Amino acid sequence: MAFRALTDEEIAILEANGCVSSDWSLVSAADGFDARFVSNIEFRGTVQIGALGDKRGQDNSVARLKNAILCNVSIGDGCCIENVHGSIENARIGNAVRIKNIGEIVCKGSTGFGNGVAIEILNEGGGRELRITRDTGAQLAYLSVLYRHDTELMNRLDSMTDAYIKSLESDRVSIGNGTTIKNTKKIINTLIGDAAVIDGVSRLENGTVDSSPESPTHIENDVLAENFIIQKGASVLDGAMLQNCLVGEATRIGKQFSAENSALFANSEGFHSEICSVFAGPYTVTHHRSTLLIAGMFSFYNAGSGTNQSNHMYKLGPVHQGILERGCKTGSSSYLLWPCRVGAFTAIIGKHYANFDTSDLPFAYINEENGKSVIIPGMNFFTAGTLRDGIKWPNRDRRKNQDKLDFIIFDVLSPFTVQKVLNGIDILKDFSEKAEKSQEFVNHKGIRIKRLLLKTGRRYYQLIVDKYFGDVLMKRIEREDPNKIADIFRPSNEDTLEDEWIDVCGLLCTKSRIDSLVREVKSGDINDYDSLHAVFEKIYQVYEDDEWQWFLANYRKIHGTDLCDETPEAVKTLLTRWKDSSLKLLNMVLQDTGKEFEGTVAISYGIDGDAERDFTNVRGTFDANSFVNMVNKNMNKINSMYEELVSRI
């Protein structure tokens, strides 16, 4: 935008409107400037003003400047700035910005706007510091926090971050186009993106509010934030307090939520409760006032009321940490003593004082019996809750921006979880063969398993494998030319079987792909955030092909032959096992759902009689329930798909 010196006539109008400047030569204007729309402004230093006039913005206000101190400020076209009780200092203000009834917006010295702040994440005692930036996604954070064994990688990532921060450093804050700031007390050293809404905020200091017209960010009502990054589409509301934190894309924070030294990635939610040194991967949810999450890593997680952990043994301080793999839930008043690692999609009930590792026993129930921690492997897969979760997560992705930072694979069954299931089958089989009949329990890495449930657990896990293998096969057959099926049944990578799968904070992939990425970072082939993001995106895009190769390799391991060499009858047998296991799963889910419509669930209904009708009018009936109907439709679909695909084979 080109600016010109003010005319004598414009200066006269400004002075008549109560404006002052010690040096009018430092005040300049763009085409479209109308001095009649400027009143009671004190100009200090260099001030540039864009077009003003009676063109009304979205809030129906005219473009004008009124009642403010402006010091070293550049203002775009069509802005409305009025009733600034302190000052706006060292700022670049975009077009169509609305700033009303505020205390101050200032930049003090050169700053990176919260980019580069090192937060003590996951381990409160330090050693896993994450340097947060506007473009820090969940996968970059995973490498930075969990690959501390690789010093060279850490140094390279630090260099990338240094270069990124340097590109953002400035002695002026920026306020993006179309942003609204009103009823706010203090904004200090804070960069604000396009179309953001900041309303009623107490203080923002040393941070970045990223935002865009397609994915606006909202910060409202008594929020206090210091040393922070808030990414696109997030909302931070209602007395939330953030210190040394990253709030990810489309994450919702509010209702006096308190967070310190923590990162919450895409679509997470934090209300009422408190977190400290938490690595909250995508879809981490904590809604209850009595809940404290501390020094843990979570994703696709739901914290029950009163959930708590302890990272302090009163020896060397709070230096312990815990990991709940994706899909875990904690029941009301549950407690875990760190260090601890819990397998994927596990429900945890009760208080646990043992340090255990159940990562190879996913889809489990963990509860306490007589003060001891007990696990039931596999059971949690066959519940309505797990099925509902797998459906709802992709449907609840609130991110609207195209340039998403977090790569998320939503699959409940995947090579990551099923490799754990296969490990679990071996573990339970080994215990079954070695346990004495006199034993009530066997012990696995700090947790107890009832001996009589070992065979049941293996049976549950085998059903999961049968269903998953059929899911993968059916998905692949559906997308391929029937005449080329034999070709795709042949594995293309002999090393696939040995390749471990990992969950890179939402991105499921082979460890070899991450190892390759790490080598490229260390060699300098990946040397900035953009190129690193591009490699993560490529890994995300090849997920289904890698999954298919892993399936083929494991089919060979289990059956002793390649799928491409099997007879049509053997393939039909695989599909039959898929159909039977899928129908059994859905039948078990229906049985689990039926518990919501029978027995004691109606105790509190029909307070003055007729409990049955009252319950029906409030809760509906089992047969009419939408979830039940969806399950029944899926069962019919499974049968029809089976018949159709068998005919193709």
Side-chain angles (χ1 to χ4, degrees):
M1 183 184 298
F3 294 93
R4 58 168 177 78
L6 296 177
T7 66
D8 291 341
E9 181 182 0
E10 287 170 335
I11 293 172
I13 293 172
L14 292 173
E15 290 180 335
N17 287 345
C19 299
V20 296
S21 174
S22 60
D23 186 350
W24 285 109
S25 69
L26 297 178
V27 181
S28 57
D31 289 342
F33 171 75
D34 189 334
R36 294 173 300 172
F37 288 86
V38 182
S39 59
N40 297 325
I41 299 294
E42 180 180 345
F43 296 100
R44 298 177 181 175
T46 302
V47 179
Q48 299 170 319
I49 309 171
L52 298 173
D54 199 17
K55 184 178 179 181
R56 297 183 180 272
Q58 291 182 348
D59 63 349
N60 203 37
S61 61
V62 300
R64 68 181 181 187
L65 309 180
K66 180 180 179 181
N67 302 333
I69 297 172
L70 304 178
C71 178
N72 297 323
V73 177
S74 175
I75 301 170
D77 291 336
C79 292
C80 178
I81 300 174
E82 57 186 13
N83 300 328
V84 178
H85 304 293
S87 63
I88 299 177
E89 298 183 28
N90 305 320
R92 298 185 187 93
I93 299 172
N95 300 322
V97 172
R98 296 293 183 264
I99 300 176
K100 299 183 178 183
N101 193 33
I102 69 160
E104 63 178 3
I105 299 175
V106 300
C107 188
K108 300 178 179 179
S110 183
T111 174
F113 308 105
N115 291 274
V117 167
I119 66 174
E120 293 182 343
I121 195 172
L122 186 54
N123 194 306
E124 195 180 0
R128 295 193 183 278
E129 288 77 10
L130 171 65
R131 298 176 71 196
I132 57 176
T133 74
R134 183 176 63 186
D135 286 344
T136 299
Q139 284 72 50
L140 170 57
Y142 182 94
L143 289 183
S144 300
V145 173
L146 294 167
Y147 274 56
R148 291 294 165 140
H149 58 278
D150 194 330
T151 304
E152 186 179 354
L153 173 65
M154 294 300 101
N155 291 337
R156 289 285 187 175
L157 291 177
D158 273 343
S159 295
M160 280 190 209
T161 302
D162 288 340
Y164 182 85
I165 295 165
K166 190 173 182 179
S167 71
L168 293 175
E169 283 180 344
S170 177
D171 59 1
R172 290 201 176 193
V173 298
S174 293
I175 299 172
N177 298 328
T179 282
T180 296
I181 303 173
K182 60 183 181 179
N183 307 320
T184 289
K185 295 178 182 177
K186 290 188 176 184
I187 298 178
I188 303 169
N189 289 15
T190 297
L191 184 150
I192 301 170
D194 296 339
V197 176
I198 298 175
D199 186 358
V201 169
S202 293
R203 179 166 57 91
L204 302 178
E205 185 167 356
N206 192 34
T208 293
V209 180
D210 203 4
S211 183
S212 67
E214 63 183 353
S215 196
T217 299
H218 289 251
I219 307 178
E220 303 177 29
N221 301 331
D222 299 321
V223 169
L224 288 165
E226 182 179 357
N227 304 329
F228 66 91
I229 301 291
I230 299 174
Q231 294 175 345
K232 291 177 181 175
S235 62
V236 182
L237 314 173
D238 302 331
M241 295 174 286
L242 307 176
Q243 186 172 32
N244 303 335
C245 285
L246 181 148
V247 178
E249 293 172 328
T251 287
R252 294 175 175 174
I253 301 295
K255 298 180 181 177
Q256 294 154 345
F257 180 76
S258 172
E260 180 180 350
N261 284 300
S262 296
L264 300 97
F265 290 99
N267 294 303
S268 291
E269 296 183 2
F271 298 112
H272 293 301
S273 47
E274 179 182 357
I275 66 173
C276 179
S277 295
V278 163
F279 193 142
Y283 292 87
T284 294
V285 174
T286 171
H287 278 187
H288 304 286
R289 190 175 302 279
S290 55
T291 295
L292 168 64
L293 305 182
I294 189 166
M297 181 175 180
F298 314 90
S299 63
F300 301 95
Y301 166 68
N302 196 314
S305 168
T307 292
N308 193 6
Q309 304 92 40
S310 174
N311 64 335
H312 202 315
M313 291 185 179
Y314 300 100
K315 295 178 182 178
L316 296 177
V319 296
H320 303 282
Q321 64 184 50
I323 295 176
L324 271 60
E325 295 183 357
R326 63 162 49 200
C328 287
K329 296 179 180 178
T330 47
S332 296
S333 300
S334 69
Y335 168 82
L336 287 164
L337 176 66
W338 297 149
C340 202
R341 183 169 180 176
V342 179
F345 294 95
T346 293
I348 304 156
I349 301 167
K351 300 185 184 301
H352 302 275
Y353 300 93
N355 307 122
F356 49 74
D357 179 355
T358 69
S359 53
D360 282 327
L361 297 172
F363 301 107
Y365 280 154
I366 294 178
N367 53 40
E368 61 170 308
E369 293 185 15
N370 300 317
K372 302 292 185 179
S373 298
V374 177
I375 187 170
I376 306 174
M379 186 65 190
N380 195 40
F381 183 71
F382 303 93
T383 63
T386 299
L387 182 61
R388 284 183 66 248
D389 286 343
I391 295 168
K392 76 184 182 184
W393 284 321
N395 293 332
R396 294 183 181 181
D397 191 345
R398 297 183 293 266
R399 295 174 296 170
K400 305 299 182 185
N401 47 302
Q402 296 299 313
D403 54 339
K404 296 178 179 63
L405 293 172
D406 298 349
F407 296 102
I408 303 173
I409 303 293
F410 293 99
D411 295 356
V412 173
L413 292 184
S414 67
F416 171 73
T417 50
V418 176
Q419 76 182 356
K420 308 271 191 177
V421 167
L422 291 170
N423 292 342
I425 290 174
D426 292 339
I427 291 166
L428 298 179
K429 180 181 178 182
D430 187 58
F431 276 130
S432 293
E433 293 172 350
K434 295 180 179 178
E436 300 290 339
K437 289 187 177 181
S438 59
Q439 285 182 257
E440 184 178 2
F441 294 95
V442 298
N443 289 286
H444 172 72
K445 294 186 177 180
I447 201 164
R448 306 202 303 173
I449 312 170
K450 285 189 175 180
R451 183 183 61 81
L452 294 177
L453 290 179
L454 294 173
K455 290 183 179 179
T456 301
R458 286 170 59 195
R459 187 169 67 252
Y460 286 155
Y461 279 158
Q462 189 58 55
L463 283 171
I464 292 172
V465 173
D466 291 343
K467 172 173 171 46
Y468 174 66
F469 276 20
D471 284 345
V472 176
L473 179 60
M474 302 225 7
K475 182 168 60 175
R476 195 73 179 196
I477 290 174
E478 283 187 306
R479 62 181 264 193
E480 295 293 339
D481 183 337
N483 297 320
K484 297 181 179 178
I485 286 178
D487 296 334
I488 66 161
F489 281 3
R490 186 174 302 282
S492 64
N493 187 345
E494 293 299 320
D495 298 327
T496 305
L497 181 60
E498 304 302 324
D499 209 342
E500 178 187 359
W501 278 70
I502 57 177
D503 182 0
V504 187
C505 202
L507 176 63
L508 303 177
C509 64
T510 62
K511 190 172 185 301
S512 63
R513 289 203 179 272
I514 296 301
D515 290 342
S516 176
L517 179 151
V518 167
R519 287 194 296 272
E520 289 184 74
V521 171
K522 289 160 65 171
S523 69
D525 292 337
I526 297 174
N527 57 15
D528 58 35
Y529 276 12
D530 287 342
S531 55
L532 182 61
H533 188 80
V535 175
F536 280 129
E537 184 173 17
K538 181 180 178 182
I539 294 172
Y540 173 79
Q541 290 171 344
V542 299
Y543 165 73
E544 287 192 358
D545 289 334
D546 284 354
E547 176 188 41
W548 175 246
Q549 293 303 321
W550 182 87
F551 157 70
L552 292 176
N554 277 274
Y555 183 92
R556 179 177 62 227
K557 177 183 179 182
I558 293 170
H559 296 279
T561 184
D562 282 324
L563 187 60
C564 59
D565 297 326
E566 291 281 27
T567 64
E569 288 71 24
V571 177
K572 290 177 184 178
T573 298
L574 178 59
L575 291 175
T576 300
R577 295 179 69 176
W578 165 78
K579 181 192 73 169
D580 293 343
S581 61
S582 297
L583 293 177
K584 187 172 183 64
L585 159 67
L586 294 178
N587 274 312
M588 293 176 73
V589 168
L590 286 177
Q591 292 175 21
D592 189 49
T593 306
K595 295 173 184 176
E596 292 277 21
F597 295 89
E598 62 187 25
T600 58
V601 295
I603 281 177
S604 59
Y605 291 78
I607 187 169
D608 291 326
D610 206 346
E612 183 176 346
R613 247 172 55 179
D614 184 49
F615 181 88
T616 300
N617 289 336
V618 173
R619 295 280 307 278
T621 64
F622 177 81
D623 291 335
N625 182 266
S626 60
F627 178 77
V628 171
N629 288 332
M630 181 205 69
V631 172
N632 284 323
K633 287 179 181 178
N634 283 345
M635 294 174 76
N636 292 331
K637 184 179 179 182
I638 286 166
N639 281 312
S640 62
M641 289 175 65
Y642 170 77
E643 296 297 337
E644 195 271 333
L645 287 173
V646 164
S647 68
R648 289 178 65 185
I649 294 295

